[in-house]
Amino acid sequence: MELFSYCVNGLVKRKTLVLDLDETLIHSHHDGVQRQTVRPGTPPDFVLRVTIDQHPIRFFVHKRPHVDFFLECVSQWYDLVVFTASMEIYGAAVADNLDRNRGILNRRYFRQHCTLELGCYTKDLSIVNEDLSSVFILDNSPGAYRYNPDNAIPIKSWFADPSDTALLNLLPMLDALRFVSDVRSILSRNLHLHSLW
């Protein structure tokens, strides 16, 4: 057993898991939204107060079920990176609240790091890690990973369902994926899933 663990640790380097925020790990709405997707009366997990273009705005943020446990697990297996198409002032505040001073979400990319193409903010994973064999993204928007579909795990958009278990359901695969030499050898088989949502 010691020899096996040495071989695994010696040959397979630690990989990078890139995490989207909105509708993947959290859902938020802000002051003045006419139609809220969250059931009225459901308290937010936290409230952000940010100023955008000199206008103070409150965002009411709801965490996807099991997100804290999910982050606790995957942070032991991967280097975690936040990559969101949101504005930095908002995305950084969300990431701070999810991190809770644990230092697991220190690397962050925001809207200014995306490419605006066909009305969609696209995330180029090569700016996160040049070695595309060891980086992949968890995102609810196929347009976001248009450049790197072989490096993506699609997840259904989350808005309000308190019984959602999507993050828990991913843990067995993520546990196994850290031991493959090239994530694309596995994730390229999932391409048919990317258009379901």
Side-chain angles (χ1 to χ4, degrees):
M1 181 57 87
E2 283 184 21
L3 178 61
F4 173 76
S5 62
Y6 171 78
C7 289
V8 168
N9 293 331
L11 295 176
V12 181
K13 60 180 175 287
R14 189 172 170 94
K15 296 174 179 61
T16 303
L17 170 54
V18 179
L19 298 167
D20 175 50
L21 292 179
D22 288 289
E23 283 69 69
T24 296
L25 298 184
I26 59 103
H27 171 68
S28 73
H29 59 274
H30 57 79
D31 288 320
V33 172
Q34 295 296 320
R35 184 185 63 85
Q36 295 182 11
T37 50
V38 179
R39 190 167 61 248
T42 304
D45 289 291
F46 52 91
V47 179
L48 301 177
R49 291 171 176 82
V50 299
T51 301
I52 300 175
D53 296 330
Q54 300 180 342
H55 293 93
I57 301 174
R58 287 186 307 170
F59 287 93
F60 304 90
V61 184
H62 299 262
K63 296 194 289 189
R64 191 171 197 148
H66 313 291
V67 68
D68 292 324
F69 178 73
F70 175 83
L71 290 174
E72 189 68 40
C73 289
V74 296
S75 66
Q76 297 173 44
W77 304 334
Y78 298 99
D79 293 329
L80 302 183
V81 174
V82 167
F83 202 155
T84 175
S86 298
M87 296 175 67
E88 182 169 353
I89 192 169
Y90 162 83
V94 171
D96 285 344
N97 275 274
L98 291 175
D99 186 281
R100 300 197 330 257
N101 297 314
R102 291 176 291 177
I104 60 174
L105 298 176
N106 288 337
R107 285 186 66 197
R108 302 168 182 183
Y109 296 84
F110 305 100
R111 180 172 297 178
Q112 67 266 31
H113 302 106
C114 298
T115 302
L116 183 57
E117 191 173 274
L118 303 174
C120 181
Y121 288 102
T122 302
K123 305 166 184 178
D124 182 356
L125 295 183
S126 67
I127 70 171
V128 175
N129 189 335
E130 291 182 356
D131 179 8
L132 291 177
S133 70
S134 61
V135 60
F136 61 102
I137 188 169
L138 177 65
D139 203 306
N140 68 304
S141 172
Y145 50 78
R146 180 185 294 122
Y147 297 157
N148 311 105
D150 290 346
N151 296 77
I153 296 178
I155 188 168
K156 189 172 185 176
S157 297
W158 181 78
F159 297 99
D161 180 8
S163 64
D164 180 87
T165 58
L167 293 176
L168 288 183
N169 297 345
L170 286 172
L171 288 175
M173 184 181 74
L174 292 174
D175 187 12
L177 197 58
R178 61 191 169 129
F179 297 111
V180 303
S181 57
D182 187 335
V183 296
R184 296 169 295 186
S185 66
I186 304 297
L187 298 183
S188 61
R189 303 175 194 176
N190 288 336
L191 295 181
H192 65 285
L193 298 175
H194 294 192
S195 60
L196 291 183
W197 303 309

